Amino acid sequence: MAALCALTAFAQLNTATLRVKVLDPNGAVVPQARIELAATQGKSLNATTRANGEATISKLTPNTYNLTITAKGFAPFTQAITITPNANEFTARLAVATVEETLTVEQDKRAASSDPRGDAFSNVLTAEQIALLPDDPDEFEQAIRNMAGPGAVFRVNGFRGGKLPPKNQIAEIRFRTNQFAAENHEPSHMFVDIRTKPGFDRWHGSLNAGFRDEALNARNPLAPFRAPEQNRRFGFELSGPLWRERTSLALSADAVNAYDAQTIVSQLPDRTFRDVVRRPWRSLNLNARLEHQVNKLNTLRGEYQRNAKHQTNLGVGNFDLAERAYGSDAVENLLRVSDSTTLGKRFFNDLRFQARRETISLDSLSQATTIQVLNAFTQGGAQLDSTRTVREIELNDDLDFAFGKHALRTGAQLEHFNIRSDELRNQNGTFTFASLADFRANRPLNFTQRLGAGRVAFDQVQLGWYAQDDWRVCKSLTLSLGLRHETQTQLGAASDGLRGSWAPRFGFAWSPFRNGKTALRGGAGIYYDWLNTTLREQALRVNGAQQRDLIIRNPGFPNPLAGGTAVQLSPSRIQLAAQLPLPRIEQFGISAEREIAKGFKLSTNYYWRHGVQQLRGRNLNAPLADGSMDGTRPDKTIGNLTQIEAGAQSFTHQFHANFNWMKLGKFMLSGNYILMHATNETDSPLLLPMNSNDLRAERGRAISDIRHRFFMFGNYTLPRGWRLSSILNMSSAQPYNITSGQDENGDGIANDRPRFGSGFGLRNPARGRGQIDLGTRLAWGFGFGKAPEQTAGGAPQVKVIRADSNSDSDSGSMLGSFGSLPTGGGKPKRYRLEFFIQASNLLNRTNLTNFSGVQTSPFFGQATAALSGRRLETGTRFSF
């Protein structure tokens, strides 16, 4: 009996109770909160708080337990606690969960598939998937561009231009195809919308560093030895609340101190010369972004960027010897302000303002006279000194509203440019030789020199406004009708001010089957290109008075005027055609998308694009067809008169197939394939045709006519915290031009193509070599440290989603979202440390470039440059 009493007393001493009190952030009790107490081994014990916010759990064995508390409207609370014998008390203070208000009428799958502004025909990279991309900012941006395909338009929080934010501050990257919307100025088939994370909940940050050295690199296949290279990269980012749930601040900085090497492959008069030139460069990019939640329906965002880059030994490589070097300093300052507001139940307005100031300075190492032997070697100074400052102001406003079955959007875009430029180029002249034999014989083809002062200043304004109606005909069909109007000042020498062009747009979105897994989209529209400020700048500078181009055919050497057959042309100039219209693009396209399995969609897109009134250069004072040198030009008082006019055409056919993230066990894959056929009649408005009296002969392959492109991104989750990701880029050969190396038409420009029978060869008839680049990233990371106590889950979020307008009610809504997003689940650690090693061109494939198309060159038909061989980078990232 005594033994039994002793055993009972011992058991009572080794049992315990726990009383839990649950409070909200203001100290009020939280009833009906669910409490779960789980030991390392054994069953979990559960309880629910009473009206006084308390709950009691009895008959516990002293031990360490995981306490989890959940309650409706509050963020989950998790903490490890130690239970001692007898009575234990614990008070938990819960954070309010993210408030999410959604103004929406639920769409069924057919309605969602036929929504032109919905998720159909879009592919999304989440923050987790973005983390698998390269850490280097330039390589990260290039990977996104490869995913999007050529000609994609990038927008960060609705803004174009500037640097992309650090990948840790990106919440989502959405690839969207809706090219026939009237809001779009560009005819691109792909728009990449990047949305940043607001830091309303708590402070987050990271430090990262990367290092690359030639010791881990492969030799460039055209370099005589392994070239010197080093890349030291550092990054920092921090974001969090200044005023919890209302105001957040995000800061970031990345810096690079590096040098790489450029190969020189040239043929000197006495030997073949191969070398590598070290090219140092450094950059510093700073970014600050402030976001303020005025209320549940209004968000203000401000951002400042400063991007600076210094480079030396530019202009060297391929045929250019080391003395051709020049340096570059570029500084960009960018200020952005936006206001997103929901007005009542029907209206959503997004106002954006951007101011940018960019200054680029170029400074030549030498001003010596240049000697160029076509595609053999070039020596002498770069003779390029300039400072160009661009001040740009851009204002955009978009308003969405809905009535019944009609969802409407209207808006305007205003841009103002102020250009200040001072450029001196080729002030001491250039001798051009057709071949090495001519160089040995002191027989130049021509001598060119630009004379005069180079300072110009001007302003340019461009304006576009639009209106569009997305009409929900029925649940499965939406028709889009839009109209855009664009105008621009200073379109020509005789411009009468502001002129405009109308651009109608039409599109449809149709989901033909009840399950909503198939969607068809198509449309047609007209687009206009802005006149580039650089064309206006050249026309103002090289106008025959301020600056002029001197050309001497068959000059003497080294004194160009000492030759017995020298023919000196009158000064040449550049001008814009009078009443120059905006270049027009006519486009038609059709797309199909099919949901193959849950989370896996296959989409295809075909479009045909016809460029009309495309800008080209034409020599209005070209010599007569006999090519004689006795002054047989329409106007003997001038030399070449380059007029930029709207007379060229272009034709593009493109087929694009894409599959979004496909998950196969631990594998995740995404990829796209592009088939393209592109022809045009000029590759640049500042390039003169071979024969300005026969412009039809200029039609040929466009430089962009790369027939096949394939991109794939894959990720594989390995055990014990390892991850492996790869990026594969493949493309077929790019075309290049073939010239004879002679000046048969007597215009002083060696761009004549070889004769074939009674005519001349096509433009860009040859092709180089295809390219394959496999990049791989292997990372290992781990978390440590006690997770921070849960606090407020973020500022309220408002989602305004396009409603299913099939109903006859007048309760439509519109698209738009702002505020913070809920964070994912799981049990994160306070800190995380990751190490990685990544490789570009892992297979060390020889990717040749810069094929020579000059028939008089010793390298005719050969590549004289190659992309880098295999390069390895190691690095680390610490985040909290």
Side-chain angles (χ1 to χ4, degrees):
M1 187 67 175
L4 181 60
C5 292
L7 183 62
T8 302
F10 179 79
Q12 291 175 347
L13 290 174
N14 285 276
T15 60
T17 60
L18 172 66
R19 188 179 69 174
V20 179
K21 188 171 185 178
V22 181
L23 305 176
D24 68 9
N26 297 320
V29 299
V30 179
Q32 299 300 312
R34 178 177 173 80
I35 298 174
E36 180 181 354
L37 198 64
T40 304
Q41 295 179 349
K43 296 182 179 180
S44 299
L45 301 175
N46 301 302
T48 302
T49 57
R50 299 178 293 275
N52 62 356
E54 296 182 358
T56 303
I57 302 177
S58 305
K59 298 181 180 181
L60 296 173
T61 301
N63 200 345
T64 298
Y65 293 81
N66 287 323
L67 174 65
T68 302
I69 304 174
T70 56
K72 185 177 180 180
F74 294 90
F77 178 95
T78 301
Q79 185 169 324
I81 62 173
T82 300
I83 301 298
T84 60
N86 302 320
N88 297 265
E89 293 186 357
F90 185 84
T91 300
R93 191 179 295 271
L94 303 186
V96 177
T98 300
V99 178
E100 181 173 330
E101 295 186 4
T102 303
L103 307 178
T104 182
V105 178
E106 284 294 328
Q107 294 177 303
D108 66 11
K109 291 186 175 181
R110 295 185 75 183
S113 296
S114 60
D115 185 352
R117 300 185 187 274
D119 290 337
F121 297 94
S122 63
N123 187 16
V124 179
L125 293 183
T126 64
E128 180 183 4
Q129 295 157 354
I130 294 168
L132 304 175
L133 296 175
D135 282 57
D136 183 274
D138 294 330
E139 295 179 4
F140 170 71
E141 181 174 344
Q142 187 59 48
I144 300 298
R145 291 190 180 279
N146 291 336
M147 290 182 183
V153 177
F154 280 65
R155 299 179 293 208
V156 179
N157 296 325
F159 291 97
R160 297 170 300 164
K163 298 285 290 185
L164 299 187
K167 66 180 189 178
N168 268 22
Q169 292 186 2
I170 297 177
E172 176 185 278
I173 299 178
R174 182 177 295 269
F175 302 85
R176 186 187 299 276
T177 57
N178 188 21
Q179 66 263 43
F180 298 111
E183 67 198 73
N184 299 326
H185 163 73
E186 302 88 351
S188 173
H189 80 288
M190 182 66 70
F191 293 86
V192 182
D193 289 313
I194 299 174
R195 183 170 53 82
T196 57
K197 302 175 184 175
F200 288 121
D201 53 351
R202 62 183 181 87
W203 287 95
H204 304 265
S206 71
L207 297 170
N208 68 85
F211 178 78
R212 184 171 67 236
D213 189 87
E214 71 266 15
L216 301 176
N217 294 348
R219 180 179 63 87
N220 187 296
L222 296 185
F225 51 87
R226 186 162 54 184
E229 180 179 2
Q230 190 174 101
N231 186 298
R232 290 171 289 173
R233 175 179 52 78
F234 307 93
F236 156 80
E237 63 92 11
L238 178 69
S239 62
L242 295 179
W243 179 8
R244 191 172 301 281
E245 303 183 17
R246 297 297 293 271
T247 306
S248 70
L249 175 68
L251 303 172
S252 67
D254 66 81
V256 175
N257 192 349
Y259 57 85
D260 59 9
Q262 177 65 42
T263 60
I264 299 176
V265 178
S266 60
Q267 181 65 51
L268 300 180
D270 56 346
R271 71 188 190 278
T272 299
F273 180 74
R274 296 195 177 212
D275 198 4
V276 292
V277 176
R278 175 171 161 167
R279 299 189 305 183
W281 64 281
R282 63 181 184 268
S283 66
L284 176 62
N285 304 314
L286 305 174
N287 182 279
R289 186 174 61 255
L290 191 68
E291 192 162 338
H292 178 61
Q293 196 86 36
V294 180
N295 52 49
K296 294 181 180 180
L297 303 177
N298 184 214
T299 297
L300 290 173
R301 182 184 290 114
E303 181 178 0
Y304 170 75
Q305 288 187 22
R306 187 182 190 275
N307 306 309
K309 190 171 186 178
H310 172 76
Q311 299 171 277
T312 56
N313 280 349
L314 297 175
V316 177
N318 303 327
F319 308 113
D320 291 274
L321 304 182
E323 61 203 80
R324 297 276 296 157
Y326 66 90
S328 170
D329 280 289
V331 178
E332 178 188 50
N333 291 276
L334 194 66
L335 176 65
R336 291 169 170 171
V337 179
S338 66
D339 179 41
S340 302
T341 308
T342 298
L343 307 170
K345 296 183 178 181
R346 299 183 182 278
F347 296 88
F348 176 80
N349 191 77
D350 188 21
L351 177 65
R352 302 181 301 279
F353 169 82
Q354 176 172 279
R356 184 176 73 94
R357 186 182 189 274
E358 181 182 45
T359 299
I360 300 178
S361 298
L362 305 178
D363 183 23
S364 295
L365 176 67
S366 169
Q367 299 293 337
T369 298
T370 302
I371 298 174
Q372 179 186 36
V373 181
L374 293 176
N375 282 22
F377 74 90
T378 304
Q379 66 181 31
Q383 301 187 69
L384 175 59
D385 293 286
S386 73
T387 299
R388 188 174 194 262
T389 299
V390 179
R391 295 178 177 88
E392 177 188 357
I393 294 177
E394 181 177 348
L395 182 65
N396 290 269
D397 188 55
D398 299 295
L399 175 65
D400 290 271
F401 54 100
F403 293 97
K405 296 183 178 182
H406 298 269
L408 299 101
R409 171 172 285 192
T410 185
Q413 172 186 353
L414 174 66
E415 296 180 5
H416 175 267
F417 295 89
N418 175 265
I419 311 295
R420 296 291 184 271
S421 175
D422 191 353
E423 177 185 282
L424 298 178
R425 183 189 298 265
N426 195 27
Q427 290 283 294
N428 292 317
T430 297
F431 287 97
T432 300
F433 295 83
S435 64
L436 283 168
D438 287 347
F439 177 75
R440 295 187 185 101
N442 290 337
R443 190 169 55 239
L445 184 67
N446 60 47
F447 175 81
T448 60
Q449 187 177 16
R450 179 164 291 183
L451 305 173
R455 180 168 298 180
V456 296
F458 65 97
D459 292 87
Q460 183 167 298
V461 179
Q462 49 206 37
L463 170 68
W465 63 271
Y466 72 92
Q468 177 162 318
D469 178 14
D470 295 327
W471 172 33
R472 175 77 69 179
V473 179
C474 61
K475 181 186 298 184
S476 60
L477 177 64
T478 300
L479 298 181
S480 299
L481 300 173
L483 182 64
R484 186 177 180 90
H485 182 250
E486 295 186 338
T487 60
Q488 187 175 25
T489 58
Q490 308 298 335
L491 291 179
S495 173
D496 55 358
L498 202 63
R499 308 173 61 204
S501 300
W502 295 94
R505 312 279 173 85
F506 166 77
F508 71 89
W510 179 40
S511 179
F513 306 116
R514 290 187 176 182
N515 58 15
K517 294 184 177 181
T518 301
L520 300 176
R521 178 180 293 180
I526 293 177
Y527 304 79
Y528 292 93
D529 278 338
W530 302 124
L531 177 68
N532 195 290
T533 56
T534 57
L535 300 180
R536 174 78 178 159
E537 180 181 340
Q538 289 300 312
L540 289 174
R541 176 178 288 116
V542 192
N543 58 6
Q546 181 167 328
Q547 278 193 351
R548 56 199 182 277
D549 284 335
L550 173 67
I551 301 177
I552 302 177
R553 297 192 62 211
N554 302 315
F557 181 77
N559 182 358
L561 299 177
T565 61
V567 176
Q568 180 173 340
L569 304 180
S570 299
S572 300
R573 69 173 192 259
I574 301 172
Q575 69 180 30
L576 299 178
Q579 305 299 322
L580 187 67
L582 290 174
R584 187 173 79 247
I585 296 173
E586 302 166 349
Q587 184 164 299
F588 160 81
I590 189 166
S591 307
E593 181 177 86
R594 173 71 179 178
E595 183 180 352
I596 307 298
K598 185 177 180 180
F600 172 48
K601 294 186 295 185
L602 175 66
S603 61
T604 59
N605 175 285
Y606 165 79
Y607 74 80
W608 172 81
R609 181 181 297 170
H610 178 206
V612 185
Q613 299 176 171
Q614 299 297 292
L615 299 183
R616 75 183 318 159
R618 185 163 69 95
N619 189 357
L620 297 186
N621 202 39
L624 299 181
D626 59 5
S628 60
M629 298 184 295
D630 58 357
T632 55
R633 289 174 178 258
D635 187 346
K636 297 182 181 181
T637 63
I638 58 175
N640 292 332
L641 176 55
T642 301
Q643 175 167 284
I644 299 172
E645 56 188 30
Q649 297 189 69
S650 65
F651 303 87
T652 302
H653 299 267
Q654 179 170 305
F655 172 79
H656 184 197
N658 170 270
F659 63 89
N660 69 336
W661 284 92
M662 177 175 62
K663 191 170 184 179
L664 301 172
K666 295 183 178 181
F667 284 95
M668 296 186 71
L669 295 175
S670 176
N672 61 57
Y673 166 74
I674 297 175
L675 173 65
M676 175 185 284
H677 176 67
T679 60
N680 62 14
E681 295 175 348
T682 182
D683 288 321
S684 170
L686 292 174
L687 294 178
L688 285 177
M690 180 191 70
N691 184 359
S692 292
N693 299 316
D694 183 15
L695 298 179
R696 294 174 300 176
E698 293 303 301
R699 181 169 297 183
R701 295 168 177 164
I703 290 296
S704 61
D705 184 44
I706 300 175
R707 293 297 171 86
H708 305 278
R709 289 183 174 93
F710 178 75
F711 170 86
M712 186 170 68
F713 178 48
N715 173 65
Y716 179 59
T717 303
L718 299 167
R720 300 183 181 275
W722 291 86
R723 279 186 172 180
L724 178 67
S725 58
S726 293
I727 298 176
L728 175 63
N729 276 297
M730 303 174 65
S731 62
S732 58
Q734 185 178 22
Y736 65 93
N737 201 22
I738 292 180
T739 60
S740 65
Q742 303 296 329
D743 180 19
E744 298 183 17
N745 62 4
D747 62 356
I749 303 173
N751 65 346
D752 298 33
R753 296 192 294 274
R755 291 182 179 272
F756 288 93
S758 59
F760 291 89
L762 297 175
R763 189 171 54 87
N764 297 333
R767 288 191 180 272
R769 289 271 298 274
Q771 299 181 3
I772 299 177
D773 187 349
L774 175 63
T776 301
R777 185 179 192 271
L778 178 64
W780 174 73
F782 62 93
F784 63 95
K786 181 180 177 182
E789 182 179 349
Q790 293 285 345
T791 57
Q797 177 192 8
V798 177
K799 291 183 179 178
V800 187
I801 304 173
R802 181 180 299 277
D804 178 3
S805 300
N806 187 51
S807 169
D808 290 334
S809 67
D810 195 30
S811 59
S813 185
M814 53 279 175
L815 180 70
S817 65
F818 48 90
S820 63
L821 291 176
T823 58
K827 297 180 179 180
K829 298 292 185 179
R830 187 177 187 90
Y831 307 105
R832 179 171 177 81
L833 184 61
E834 181 183 75
F835 301 93
F836 70 86
I837 181 170
Q838 61 189 25
S840 60
N841 195 7
L842 179 66
L843 303 179
N844 199 28
R845 175 182 168 85
T846 299
N847 293 311
L848 299 175
T849 62
N850 196 45
F851 285 78
S852 173
V854 180
Q855 288 186 321
T856 56
S857 167
F859 300 103
F860 176 63
Q862 302 177 35
T864 57
L867 301 182
S868 298
R870 181 177 55 248
R871 297 190 300 177
L872 297 179
E873 178 181 337
T874 60
T876 184
R877 176 183 293 272
F878 172 74
S879 57
F880 60 91

